[in-house]
Amino acid sequence: MIAITVSLLVAYSFPRTWGAWEKNMAPILISNTSSSLSPSRSFKIERDRFVINGRPIILKAGCMHYSRVPRAYWNDRLMRIRAMGLNTVSTYVPWNFHEKSEGSYNFGGQKDLKEFIRLAQENSLLVILRPGPYICAEWDFGGLPGWLVKEGATALRTDAEPFISHAMRWWRTILALVRPQLYSNGGPIVMVQVENEYGFYGNVQENPSDRRYMQKLISTAKEILGYQIVLFTTDFGYEKFLKRGSFPGGSIYTVGDTCKKPGVTFRAQHGMNERGKSPNMCSEIYTGWMTRWGEDSTMHV
């Protein structure tokens, strides 16, 4: 199995029955608005495949930053994503976009994440949500609020005060906000990412504080979202980074990104996940790369 990518992020397992699945996809994605748990609505991993309501599924996803696109254009952009043949949109949720000052959250207007998710569903798109707390260089300070430093948080992205108290408050707030829009609750969210490429920064194998930080994020996500959602981590697609940034076994689905050597990435991924619980997934593939100051040309991947 291989991955197809468009734009920044995609993730996927490839069934042989894609044609039949695509034909019936719209009624699966468009749901009633009931927030009660529906046994008939499920998204899970079985036999190394993603499975939606009992059917194997390919997730063909593109990444869109709602925080960068004016709200008036959200629907237009989502329509274009669907018209491209994609069935999923992924999006980061920048913490500092919604909590500019400590304890004061804003999820209205341009920052109305729930409306963006609703529009995705209206356009027959599933959603992969990436709420941090850290979301990498795609956003200033990785989405961490600048006031953290003012509050004395010099140790970031680890189980140290005051960072961990602020991070867990954000984590609980954002997860509780989106819970009604999980797929099992009638919404389009099928996967939620925990942290972002943590193996580049921390080391859960060797640093107890890093391990506790990631374990707290995972356990809190399960507490708030339940067990009907697929939680996952993403790290650079080599074994050493996956081991530094995630946990072997069944506590969370571990995937790689970049995938310049897909076979290497997928073997490393299978080594981390439970048997039968590791569909091949590449969480980020880039169509281009940053041009650094002083470089003469744009780099294409």
Side-chain angles (χ1 to χ4, degrees):
M1 294 185 288
I2 58 173
I4 293 176
T5 73
V6 176
S7 185
L8 179 63
L9 185 152
V10 277
Y12 343 63
S13 87
F14 276 48
R16 296 175 182 270
T17 55
W18 164 245
W21 178 87
E22 171 74 354
K23 187 181 297 184
N24 296 305
M25 190 61 190
I28 291 176
L29 294 178
I30 301 172
S31 78
N32 57 43
T33 57
S34 171
S35 61
S36 60
L37 185 64
S38 172
S40 64
R41 288 178 60 84
S42 65
F43 180 90
K44 61 183 68 174
I45 295 173
E46 292 178 343
R47 299 169 59 190
D48 288 334
R49 298 181 299 179
F50 295 116
V51 177
I52 192 167
N53 298 342
R55 304 178 186 179
I57 177 178
I58 305 168
L59 298 182
K60 298 190 294 183
C63 186
M64 174 179 166
H65 295 176
Y66 69 94
S67 51
R68 281 193 165 97
V69 178
R71 176 172 174 158
Y73 295 109
W74 285 353
N75 193 60
D76 173 81
R77 301 302 188 264
L78 291 166
M79 289 174 66
R80 292 169 188 266
I81 288 172
R82 191 70 181 108
M84 289 171 66
L86 305 185
N87 58 36
T88 306
V89 62
S90 74
T91 192
Y92 279 122
V93 182
W95 176 5
N96 59 15
F97 187 62
H98 295 284
E99 191 183 1
K100 288 201 169 185
S101 58
E102 182 184 349
S104 179
Y105 295 100
N106 185 348
F107 291 101
Q110 175 64 38
K111 304 183 180 188
D112 192 345
L113 173 62
K114 294 184 71 173
E115 174 63 9
F116 176 78
I117 295 170
R118 188 195 69 79
L119 286 172
Q121 183 170 18
E122 190 174 89
N123 283 281
S124 297
L125 292 166
L126 297 172
V127 173
I128 296 173
L129 199 67
R130 312 177 80 188
Y134 178 82
I135 63 169
C136 209
E138 281 83 348
W139 193 262
D140 287 350
F141 203 22
L144 301 180
W147 51 259
L148 281 173
V149 179
K150 185 177 179 181
E151 290 290 317
T154 55
L156 303 172
R157 301 175 69 194
T158 193
D159 187 15
E161 294 293 352
F163 171 78
I164 191 64
S165 291
H166 294 304
M168 294 309 296
R169 186 182 67 228
W170 159 255
W171 196 235
R172 288 181 173 277
T173 298
I174 190 62
L175 296 181
L177 181 80
V178 301
R179 175 172 176 159
Q181 293 178 294
L182 300 183
Y183 189 77
S184 59
N185 290 336
I189 301 172
V190 291
M191 299 178 69
V192 174
Q193 182 177 306
V194 178
E195 248 281 346
N196 191 86
E197 295 181 332
Y198 193 63
F200 267 125
Y201 180 85
N203 190 332
V204 300
Q205 286 186 313
E206 298 180 4
N207 189 325
S209 295
D210 293 349
R211 182 164 55 251
R212 290 195 305 270
Y213 168 58
M214 288 295 290
Q215 288 172 335
K216 286 180 179 180
L217 293 177
I218 293 169
S219 62
T220 300
K222 291 179 178 179
E223 171 193 333
I224 294 174
L225 302 180
Y227 291 82
Q228 301 294 319
I229 187 72
V230 175
L231 300 176
F232 73 105
T233 60
T234 186
D235 278 288
F236 194 45
Y238 293 91
E239 182 180 23
K240 68 175 183 179
F241 293 105
L242 269 60
K243 286 184 173 180
R244 287 169 58 98
S246 193
F247 302 99
S251 65
I252 194 163
Y253 171 44
T254 301
V255 303
D257 62 28
T258 306
C259 309
K260 289 186 177 181
K261 297 181 179 180
V264 173
T265 298
F266 297 152
R267 283 194 295 274
Q269 176 182 308
H270 278 261
M272 290 291 290
N273 295 311
E274 286 185 315
R275 187 172 183 178
K277 299 291 186 179
S278 192
N280 292 342
M281 172 172 172
C282 190
S283 59
E284 297 182 12
I285 297 181
Y286 299 90
T287 54
W289 196 244
M290 65 188 76
T291 301
R292 297 173 180 85
W293 182 261
E295 291 182 343
D296 294 331
S297 61
T298 301
M299 183 184 297
H300 297 281
V301 179

